[in-house]
Amino acid sequence: MAKPFFLSSFLAVLLLSLSPLSSESAPERRLGSSKRAPRFFGKFSHPHTNKLSNPRNPKYRYDTRYFDQRLDHFSFADLPNFPQRYLINTEHWVGPARMGPIFFYCGNEGDIEWFADNSGFVWEIAPRFGAMVVFPEHRYYGESMPYGSRDEAYRNATSLAHLTTEQALADFAVLITNLKRNLSAETCPVVLFGGSYGGMLAAWMRLKYPHIAIGALASSAPVLQFEDIVPPETFYDIVSNDFRRESTSCFNTIKESWDIVEAEGQKKNGLVELTKTFGLCRKLERSKDLSDWLDSAYSYLAMANYPYPTEFLMPLPGNPIKEVCRKIDSCPDGTSVLERVFEGVTVYYNYTGEVDCFELDDDPHGMDGWNWQACSEMVMPMSSSRDSSMFPEYNFSYSLFDEGCWNDYRVKSRPTWITTEFGGHIFGSNIIFSNGLLDPWSGGSVLGNISKSIIALVAEKGAHHIDLRAATVNDPDWVMEQRAAEVKVIEGWIKDYYQEKKAVFDM
Amino acid sequence: MAKPFFLSSFLAVLLLSLSPLSSESAPERRLGSSKRAPRFFGKFSHPHTNKLSNPRNPKYRYDTRYFDQRLDHFSFADLPNFPQRYLINTEHWVGPARMGPIFFYCGNEGDIEWFADNSGFVWEIAPRFGAMVVFPEHRYYGESMPYGSRDEAYRNATSLAHLTTEQALADFAVLITNLKRNLSAETCPVVLFGGSYGGMLAAWMRLKYPHIAIGALASSAPVLQFEDIVPPETFYDIVSNDFRRESTSCFNTIKESWDIVEAEGQKKNGLVELTKTFGLCRKLERSKDLSDWLDSAYSYLAMANYPYPTEFLMPLPGNPIKEVCRKIDSCPDGTSVLERVFEGVTVYYNYTGEVDCFELDDDPHGMDGWNWQACSEMVMPMSSSRDSSMFPEYNFSYSLFDEGCWNDYRVKSRPTWITTEFGGHIFGSNIIFSNGLLDPWSGGSVLGNISKSIIALVAEKGAHHIDLRAATVNDPDWVMEQRAAEVKVIEGWIKDYYQEKKAVFDM
């Protein structure tokens, strides 16, 4: 199993959920693997360059502003400030006199406009709360670049040094404090939102800055995916179960395929045959590249295993894994394992049927923000087990991991830092951890109530943070119920806060 | 009122309580003002240099160890590690199997051996808890120097950049986590202790790292002495009240004296006369230097206004302010205001009668760790009011403050950062704020219970963190009661923790 995959899968899920690629699709699009996805991400993370030719039409109304942010909050090193972009909408805000809430989405590893566009839930519930909406961008992503440009910010380990979670949280803390002061809104309660890594940020922000935010909705946030808190096989076991629950034969076919790919690759002309079978644009150079490409598809399918058709990174049918397995299982007798597997992954890589040939990842080592974070402090060990998973056996090795990170970034990872800083288990109060059990990241999140105010909302049939998305006519009941439950809890936090404030005022 | 005083008074209190100067006294000692106290502090903060000629004889038994500590926890900048010194004693520890507690004193701005020697309370209660005792040194103090030496660490603003509170707390977090892992003591509860700035660290550590420590005893910790949370006049008003409660005429004499000093200084030969009246070693150059010297004495007397004789920075009688006022008030009729004031401050500067002449501060601008901290993030605005204080009127000015700090350190202060990072008011749980109302720092601390588990223990007659000191035969009942109350609360934390652990274990 490829190491780079572990680094990039988290990022990929965001791409899956945030990038409306369908509107960009061209008849002869040649798709590459999104294994590390730097090329794809790079393309979309710079709307500036795209804006001229393709002016963006954001889904929601907001003003775009920039805050002069300190690069290092925790030292007095003489470093240049950077402009942190944030999107803000106050049209429904009832203002400071009525202590109107501030809904604050913790921007994660990407352009904040994509998060704003794809977190409809926050926009949709704001009016009923009389809430302001703020979407701050995470440092080193989108337009919020230190050192003047992305190229300078991503130049090397020194320029990337301040791309850390704690600095990002401090950015949020300083920004909120400043906004509130400027709006005379010091007493207005702040509610945090976030999905995926953004959900981790929301939860951790509530833990570390409870004086700044009264609660956090952390959707699909694998805050426990560190060290040995959850078994390292968790992620791939869930992906595998997503397939097995659809069809055991589908699961078995995929499980068998890895050895066959490898054996085939070692035959004379085997790589040529594989190139043909999988419709690749260029001759395959190593069977491993093909395995990685397949591997990515299955994991992304699991994250995006939504109940209705979606058009994120890839246009997909509803319940896409069911469709993959239907294809694999329904091949005529005599179809080879590899041909079946190919039929299956076309659901992911070519659902629209517009792809002529497939391009495997051609730039696995590009500088990429999330990979830097994964190599420095966000170290999430992942293995796949021989028995319970359909993937090739892999045992996570810190030394191999470190070697790769050193080669790519010249950075030495600190794998125990996150649990030291944020705790290996969750404390505090007023956090919702929402998860869908089909989502492979759910295994590293919080799935049971921890206390009366740290609660888990679990949707058995949910995938990756669907609750944060805008309502659609296709929403099944359980999504609507999950969102209603979230609204109710958030109402409770705000009500409690008002009562507390009133009590102080009455004293 | 002198700006440097605001910077250094906090440090000075530690010197007062920690430096057994009496053993160093020489017949012809010439004392200078401790206004900024860098010279004095420098002398004692390097036991290495003193050790050869005067081997230290610590009061308590411990091993001295060094932990290879990261200089910057919140970035991946390529900086050298530094050796963090810590003192450890495990002789009473009941070990990991019985979840023996770890008592952890948050080292503050000085040599950790002095804190260990002068925090007898922690050592004395450890055996009954079966607790390990750890005294970690604060970075940039004592032997815990980045960049190889004090000279290098204190070279300039760049080398001092990482002398911040958040980095120090992260040092503690990493050290505790590491210690526990090495001792297989992951489940052992940690209780934090600290006095003065160390008390602030203990409280903030509990707020920011509740997963690491179950509670904190924060003694005389002015966590609210920032921005406008408490009135800036608080400190000097308390000093003034300490004098007024002994004698109104004493208070009035001191209050009158400032104008007289200034007027005298403007007369022909006035500075010579003042030099004579106050027995100075060198001719006074500005009347302001004399005012600062007097000002310091009154503030330090208020902090060290203990009920029994002490020998800290200065040998002092019990209730020293009472003694000062007795001297001022009992002068024969016809004694001038200045002569009275001089009689009074000799209680502070020359109680043993061994001083031949007085040296005013001769090095107000030396590089000093606390002054750096006060100039960068620990900005505590202080004024003195014309009406309620006995001091010259002074209105704190951020711009003047910043100007001074820029001149001294080339650092730009961030006066709103501490409240952003730690909250302007206290949240969390399991913190004891202990204070004595005679202590001028008590006004910036927490004097009322905030919740069931954030409690205030207030001793009306207490001065600066007397509760942390070793028991003596002179302890009045209220000190013993305060300590007993602290022990009871700490017992409660540990008991609750054990019950929680047991509940998890039984599940």
Side-chain angles (χ1 to χ4, degrees), chain A residues 313-327:
Chain A
L313 179 57
M314 300 292 184
L316 291 175
N319 300 307
I321 290 183
K322 188 186 282 295
E323 180 64 13
V324 170
C325 285
R326 200 188 57 75
K327 286 239 185 188

Side-chain angles (χ1 to χ4, degrees), chain B residues 394-440:
Chain B
Y394 180 82
N395 289 307
F396 181 83
S397 146
Y398 280 104
S399 60
L400 277 181
F401 179 86
D402 281 350
E403 201 183 305
C405 287
W406 182 257
N407 288 339
D408 288 356
Y409 291 104
R410 292 286 179 267
V411 70
K412 213 177 148 336
S413 75
R414 292 159 63 199
T416 63
W417 169 242
I418 287 288
T419 58
T420 302
E421 178 67 8
F422 298 113
H425 293 86
I426 295 299
F427 52 89
S429 61
N430 289 9
I431 305 177
I432 304 168
F433 287 97
S434 68
N435 280 285
L437 292 187
L438 299 185
D439 177 11

Side-chain angles (χ1 to χ4, degrees), chain A residues 115-338:
Chain A
F115 293 107
D117 275 6
N118 287 277
S119 303
F121 177 66
V122 181
W123 298 101
E124 287 170 1
I125 67 169
R128 85 157 80 167
F129 284 94
M132 178 194 318
V133 175
V134 185
F135 275 75
E137 192 160 62
H138 192 296
R139 52 168 58 200
Y140 286 84
Y141 295 100
E143 295 183 4
S144 300
M145 287 296 162
Y147 303 112
S149 70
R150 189 183 189 282
D151 285 350
E152 288 302 317
Y154 279 72
R155 183 166 294 281
N156 54 35
T158 302
S159 63
L160 280 164
H162 295 91
L163 170 46
T164 68
T165 300
E166 308 86 65
Q167 299 282 1
L169 295 181
D171 290 342
F172 296 157
V174 170
L175 176 62
I176 292 172
T177 305
N178 217 276
L179 271 178
K180 285 180 123 184
R181 192 175 296 132
N182 290 343
L183 296 164
S184 303
E186 281 90 345
T187 59
C188 295
V190 174
V191 178
L192 305 167
F193 297 82
S196 202
Y197 168 52
M200 301 165 85
L201 291 172
W204 289 337
M205 180 95 194
R206 170 67 191 154
L207 298 182
K208 287 294 196 182
Y209 296 90
H211 53 293
I212 286 186
I214 64 164
L217 169 56
S219 182
S220 299
V223 288
L224 308 179
Q225 194 78 50
F226 295 93
E227 296 187 64
D228 56 357
I229 303 175
V230 298
E233 298 83 10
T234 304
F235 183 96
Y236 286 108
D237 279 358
I238 296 175
V239 176
S240 302
N241 283 337
D242 284 357
F243 284 81
R244 184 157 38 197
R245 66 194 278 281
E246 294 298 345
S247 147
T248 309
S249 61
C250 172
F251 173 96
N252 286 335
T253 305
I254 294 168
K255 193 172 171 83
E256 281 169 38
S257 69
W258 310 104
D259 284 350
I260 302 175
V261 167
E262 200 187 332
E264 195 68 25
Q266 287 174 355
K267 287 186 190 158
K268 196 184 164 194
N269 276 334
L271 291 171
V272 173
E273 285 304 314
L274 286 173
T275 305
K276 250 188 260 172
T277 307
F278 286 89
L280 307 182
C281 304
R282 306 158 197 254
K283 182 176 169 269
L284 188 64
E285 295 189 2
R286 305 177 307 163
S287 56
K288 192 181 164 302
D289 293 345
L290 179 61
S291 299
D292 288 348
W293 184 73
L294 297 170
D295 175 324
S296 300
Y298 303 134
S299 300
Y300 298 161
L301 281 159
M303 297 180 218
N305 198 19
Y306 296 123
Y308 52 81
T310 52
E311 301 196 331
F312 305 145
L313 179 57
M314 300 292 184
L316 291 175
N319 300 307
I321 290 183
K322 188 186 282 295
E323 180 64 13
V324 170
C325 285
R326 200 188 57 75
K327 286 239 185 188
I328 286 179
D329 289 345
S330 66
C331 290
D333 285 355
T335 311
S336 74
V337 165
L338 294 190

